[in-house]
Amino acid sequence: MAETAAPEDTEARLEEHRKELTGYCYRMLGSAFEAEDAVQETMIRAWRSLERFEGRSSLRSWLYRIATNVCLDALNAGNRRARPVDLTEAVPVARAQLTSRPEATWLEPVPDGRVLPQVSDPAETALARESVRLAFVAALQHLPAKQRAVLILREVLAWKASEVAELLDTSVASVNSALQRARATLAAHAPARTQTADPLDAGQRDLLDRYVAAFEAYDMAALTALLHEDATLSMPPYDLCLRGHDDIVGWMLGVGSVCRGSRLIPTVANGTPAFAHYHPDPQGGFSPWALMVIEITDGRVSGITSFLDVQRWFPLFGLPERLDPPEA
């Protein structure tokens, strides 16, 4: 008679899969917090059903089946998260307004360490980073929920069609058909090709160093030289979208001039470079202002997304609550 695993052993086996499941649920749901909730619900369901797990599939496959069902339940309402550039047309800076939308509207950033397991294969690591980029996850949101699951399982996680069919209780032909339709939809909403980070190459490091220097000095001429001509600036939870040198600089010299004297601290989000943006605090030092995710294309900055809900993002990314003033 087989021995029953001790509760602590079973819990440890389940926890081994938490990070990769969080990455899967994040790609499905587009929210770091909803993904963590979905994985927690997956673990609870798994623990409660452990006696019925007969070992016909691996523990990992079984957990993915549960996580998929949790995500499909969450997506039944038909909500999809997006970026400002996906929801609104870029407007000239003269007509720009800060109109807030509910939190559930927006695609959320996520720390790499929450969703990207350590793997030894460089190609696998690169694919994993590519698949959590904001632009890619935003494109996934255009897919119906089951097509989304099929595409992620087949093309990101490299599952076989037969494995996906078993997970979804459907046929291989149905899986292949769903994948074909998902590819066609994704092609119609093709995510922009931007460079991932970690490790940064020499050109990326130089570009980001120059970006920090220009932003902290509030040198608009230097900043403009680093931007693509059609670079975008957005600031969730506002649906503002600005495009191009002139409008971005116009905003930063107008309403955005409150950012003069800011500090940027490097971090990584969604497989790409990011900065914790701190404003000068009238009481001294610097206080959190935004999590700034940077997209790089062909050696220039092509997108700046500043997520302003710092009470959510800074703790999630383990960022300091404030910065001390520089020593004299």
Side-chain angles (χ1 to χ4, degrees):
M1 183 174 179
E3 292 184 6
T4 302
E8 58 271 19
D9 294 338
T10 301
E11 184 173 354
R13 289 179 64 206
L14 294 175
E15 286 297 322
E16 287 176 3
H17 302 283
R18 182 177 289 274
K19 187 177 289 188
E20 64 172 306
L21 288 170
T22 304
Y24 174 59
C25 292
Y26 173 73
R27 296 177 183 99
M28 286 288 291
L29 302 173
S31 163
F33 295 102
E34 287 185 5
E36 292 194 345
D37 288 346
V39 173
Q40 189 60 29
E41 176 64 19
T42 297
M43 296 299 182
I44 291 170
R45 292 189 190 184
W47 187 266
R48 289 174 177 170
S49 306
L50 206 54
E51 290 183 357
R52 299 199 299 273
F53 174 56
E54 300 174 354
R56 288 194 297 264
S57 62
S58 69
L59 178 64
R60 179 174 182 259
S61 298
W62 184 59
L63 288 172
Y64 267 93
R65 175 192 287 265
I66 298 172
T68 299
N69 288 333
V70 171
C71 289
L72 294 179
D73 288 346
L75 292 167
N76 275 342
N79 296 334
R80 76 173 176 90
R81 291 176 177 265
R83 303 171 301 166
V85 295
D86 303 315
L87 286 183
T88 59
E89 294 290 333
V91 296
V93 68
R95 294 197 286 111
Q97 296 182 354
L98 291 176
T99 305
S100 180
R101 296 202 191 189
E103 174 274 324
T105 306
W106 304 117
L107 183 68
E108 296 180 349
V110 70
D112 286 13
R114 297 285 184 117
V115 295
L116 299 180
Q118 294 293 322
V119 295
S120 56
D121 183 349
E124 190 175 338
T125 299
L127 175 61
R129 292 196 188 102
E130 171 72 20
S131 70
V132 294
R133 290 186 307 115
L134 287 175
F136 183 81
V137 179
L140 288 177
Q141 304 301 300
H142 290 280
L143 301 176
K146 284 194 176 180
Q147 287 184 28
R148 200 180 305 178
V150 168
L151 187 132
I152 295 167
L153 290 165
R154 289 282 285 120
E155 300 212 328
V156 176
L157 302 178
W159 284 41
K160 297 177 182 177
S162 58
E163 294 172 328
V164 178
E166 182 179 353
L167 182 146
L168 295 174
D169 288 324
T170 189
S171 66
V172 169
S174 178
V175 167
N176 288 336
S177 176
L179 179 60
Q180 186 175 13
R181 294 196 303 275
R183 285 171 173 166
T185 301
L186 210 61
H189 301 278
R193 301 292 299 183
T194 57
Q195 295 173 257
T196 55
D198 192 20
L200 297 168
D201 62 32
Q204 289 173 317
R205 287 195 300 272
D206 178 66
L207 174 68
L208 294 171
D209 287 345
R210 292 164 61 200
Y211 179 86
V212 170
F215 194 94
E216 292 187 347
Y218 228 66
D219 182 339
M220 292 299 107
L223 188 67
T224 297
L226 306 176
L227 299 177
H228 267 280
E229 288 186 6
D230 61 349
T232 60
L233 171 66
S234 56
M235 293 177 287
Y238 300 111
D239 60 10
L240 174 73
C241 178
L242 299 170
R243 186 182 299 275
H245 294 163
D246 292 344
D247 285 322
I248 292 175
V249 169
W251 175 268
M252 294 183 71
L253 291 176
V255 176
S257 62
V258 294
C259 293
R260 287 182 185 274
S262 292
R263 293 276 310 280
L264 300 183
I265 303 299
T267 184
V268 178
N270 295 79
T272 58
F275 295 100
H277 177 185
Y278 293 84
H279 261 202
D281 191 322
Q283 304 301 316
F286 299 83
S287 55
W289 182 257
L291 177 73
M292 182 187 289
V293 181
I294 302 295
E295 294 170 290
I296 299 173
T297 306
D298 299 328
R300 290 192 178 187
V301 173
S302 55
I304 305 167
T305 307
S306 288
F307 293 91
L308 300 180
D309 192 355
V310 293
Q311 291 183 342
R312 301 179 79 214
W313 306 128
F314 277 46
L316 182 68
F317 280 76
L319 296 166
E321 294 181 2
R322 60 180 296 103
L323 299 180
D324 293 330
E327 295 182 4

